[in-house]
Amino acid sequence: MSSSEVIQIGGIEVQVNRKPIKNLHLSVLPPNGRVRMSVPMGASEQAVRLAVITKLAWIKKQQVDFEAQRRQSIREMVSGESHYLWGKQHRLDIVKTSGKHKVSIKGNSIIELQVADNTTADNRLKLLNGLYRQQVQKTITKLLPYWQQRLNVESTSVGIKKMKTKWGSCNIEAKSLWINLELAKKPVECIEFILVHELVHLIERHHNERFKGIMDKHLPNWRERRSLLNSLPLAYEDWSY
């Protein structure tokens, strides 16, 4: 008997239809890029997730193509635009105010900017980036103590900044880390992977077998997280160890 369910994989909603078939079939459907997957009745959830993860780059390209057909994606910072937070699409809502500018998350799908009527798009973007910075800092504050204790390392500082070519970096001598602000737009498992990756560099400088062994021990699914992150838009450094 066939069955259907919807699951979240890498920030993407996937409709999984179990059928009496032999192979997995993945489709991205117009007009909005809905993802549908037909799988054999006995396929495990892990097999389904891995199949989607390996196709994330292709899925996202198809969705971007559909999105481009519907409307321009230029960031004008106006109500109705879509912006991402932790891998989930949010609608931007601009609220005019004569008071202090504010940015906040409303419910599960709205980012509200309270700004003056003549506020420029650049200044609206700065306000949005302030929200991203708060979110990244909050997440790092939560994750850092756990991972420092687990790895038995301690960083002197963890900074946040926009980086064009790296998701994160580590100054081994100073024991200081930098985390890319853009990670606020990606699923939270991505920023955890980067944080662990950079902390492990305080133990092993190079991407060698020892480094991979430490990652395998403490974050067994780090390769899956890396694949997810590297399938998302940004000119990243090559971490194909």
Side-chain angles (χ1 to χ4, degrees):
M1 181 181 295
S2 300
S3 64
S4 180
E5 63 177 326
V6 176
I7 60 177
Q8 292 283 339
I9 304 175
I12 293 177
E13 191 172 85
V14 181
Q15 180 184 339
V16 179
N17 299 323
R18 295 186 179 276
K19 300 179 178 180
I21 56 177
K22 293 183 178 180
N23 300 310
L24 290 82
H25 300 282
L26 182 66
S27 303
V28 181
L29 306 174
N32 58 0
R34 181 168 60 90
V35 181
R36 183 180 66 195
M37 193 171 194
S38 298
V39 305
M41 296 297 295
S44 67
E45 183 174 339
Q46 182 181 13
V48 172
R49 288 184 176 275
L50 286 175
V52 174
I53 288 293
T54 59
K55 291 288 188 178
L56 272 177
W58 177 79
I59 291 171
K60 290 182 179 295
K61 183 181 184 304
Q62 299 302 308
Q63 291 180 330
V64 167
D65 288 345
F66 287 136
E67 183 75 12
Q69 291 174 4
R70 291 183 305 176
R71 64 175 184 272
Q72 294 294 322
S73 59
I74 299 173
R75 302 291 84 184
E76 297 181 352
M77 299 303 296
V78 296
S79 288
E81 275 188 351
S82 293
H83 293 265
Y84 281 84
L85 177 62
W86 299 130
K88 183 177 180 181
Q89 198 171 26
H90 285 64
R91 179 185 183 276
L92 189 65
D93 190 11
I94 304 297
V95 177
K96 297 178 183 179
T97 180
S98 58
K100 185 177 180 180
H101 290 184
K102 295 180 181 179
V103 57
S104 57
I105 303 168
K106 299 293 185 180
N108 295 319
S109 61
I110 294 176
I111 297 176
E112 181 182 276
L113 299 186
Q114 296 184 31
V115 295
D117 190 29
N118 61 349
T119 305
T120 65
D122 283 345
N123 284 334
R124 294 179 184 186
L125 181 58
K126 288 178 182 178
L127 196 60
L128 178 60
N129 283 334
L131 172 66
Y132 286 147
R133 182 174 295 276
Q134 292 171 5
Q135 290 289 310
V136 171
Q137 185 62 64
K138 181 179 178 181
T139 302
I140 291 173
T141 300
K142 179 180 178 181
L143 294 173
L144 186 62
Y146 170 81
W147 282 108
Q148 287 190 144
Q149 181 179 14
R150 180 162 179 171
L151 295 169
N152 194 27
V153 297
E154 187 171 351
S155 60
T156 57
S157 65
V158 181
I160 304 165
K161 65 179 178 180
K162 277 198 170 187
M163 292 183 277
K164 292 183 178 180
T165 60
K166 296 181 179 181
W167 292 112
S169 65
C170 175
N171 184 319
I172 297 171
E173 288 73 21
K175 295 185 177 182
S176 61
L177 313 182
W178 284 102
I179 301 297
N180 197 325
L181 180 65
E182 290 291 299
L183 284 165
K185 302 175 185 178
K186 316 306 177 187
V188 71
E189 56 263 39
C190 294
I191 192 172
E192 186 172 33
F193 159 65
I194 292 299
L195 182 62
V196 174
H197 176 278
E198 302 306 335
L199 286 171
V200 170
H201 275 310
L202 297 179
I203 304 172
E204 173 54 57
R205 177 186 298 266
H206 303 290
H207 291 151
N208 53 23
E209 291 302 316
R210 181 178 180 229
F211 183 94
K212 288 187 286 186
I214 297 170
M215 292 292 292
D216 286 340
K217 178 181 178 181
H218 295 284
L219 195 67
N221 66 347
W222 66 269
R223 290 178 178 85
E224 180 179 339
R225 297 186 189 216
R226 181 189 62 183
S227 296
L228 169 61
L229 180 57
N230 286 348
S231 71
L232 300 171
L234 183 71
Y236 56 88
E237 56 183 342
D238 184 4
W239 292 338
S240 52
Y241 308 139

